Amino acid sequence: MPDTTGLEPLSVLAGRVGAILRERRQTVAVAESSAGGLVSAALLAIPGASAFFLGGAVVYSRRAGKALLGLTAEDMAGMRAETEPYASFIAGRIQGSHRATWGIAESGAAGPSGSPYGDAPGHVCLAIAGEAAASRTIETANADRASNMDVFARQLLLLFHQTLLAQDRRAPGS
């Protein structure tokens, strides 16, 4: 099936992010839900990934959130998964727990059906935490699970890459 998203392949996006992180001597930790580990796998496929990749977690359920991120009922008060505030929170949590320069996260509904929260398949919230913060909501309007997982992973790496490049533009003397 041809790619109609207009996004670069996952390996290309991961390679760009990895090169920037390696050059800057920065690190990243990843929290994924509906991308199912594709972001971590893409970053880990880069030779020398141990220079920048500190760890990742697939947080696919409340039980996983508790076990992998230490999420408590108090943490979740007034918040639900598949929102930008939640994605931002878990990006910050994974960043802090791994003592990484950056934490990146996504939370969404890959499909083929919607989520228990009422989000349509193809809905994902992305977030970056670290020296800068960013978040974004994407709606693919697609119910194909595998396709959405791939798009979610690529969109998260794209947002991270854009955030890293924006840091260059804000650097002193530029």
Side-chain angles (χ1 to χ4, degrees), residues 10-16 18-19 22 37-53 157:
L10 192 55
S11 60
V12 171
L13 289 164
R16 287 197 180 133
R22 185 179 294 116
L38 292 176
V39 174
S40 294
L43 290 169
L44 285 168
I46 299 166
S50 60
F52 59 84
F53 186 87
L157 284 174

Side-chain angles (χ1 to χ4, degrees), residues 70-91:
L71 298 180
T72 66
E74 292 78 29
D75 291 333
M76 296 302 296
M79 190 172 9
R80 73 167 179 88
E82 300 171 18
T83 63
E84 288 183 40
Y86 174 77
S88 295
F89 180 75
I90 63 171

Side-chain angles (χ1 to χ4, degrees), residues 24-129:
R24 293 181 184 178
R25 296 181 179 188
Q26 295 180 338
T27 56
V28 66
V30 182
E32 303 176 67
S33 70
S34 53
L38 292 176
V39 174
S40 294
L43 290 169
L44 285 168
I46 299 166
S50 60
F52 59 84
F53 186 87
L54 295 184
V58 177
V59 184
Y60 199 70
S61 65
R62 288 180 192 248
R63 182 175 292 190
K66 183 178 179 183
L68 299 172
L69 295 177
L71 298 180
T72 66
E74 292 78 29
D75 291 333
M76 296 302 296
M79 190 172 9
R80 73 167 179 88
E82 300 171 18
T83 63
E84 288 183 40
Y86 174 77
S88 295
F89 180 75
I90 63 171
R93 178 61 64 97
I94 196 101
Q95 176 204 14
S97 68
H98 285 71
R99 296 186 183 133
T101 312
W102 299 96
I104 66 174
E106 61 78 21
S107 179
S113 58
S115 76
Y117 306 108
D119 296 309
H123 168 92
V124 69
C125 294
L126 316 167
I128 311 300

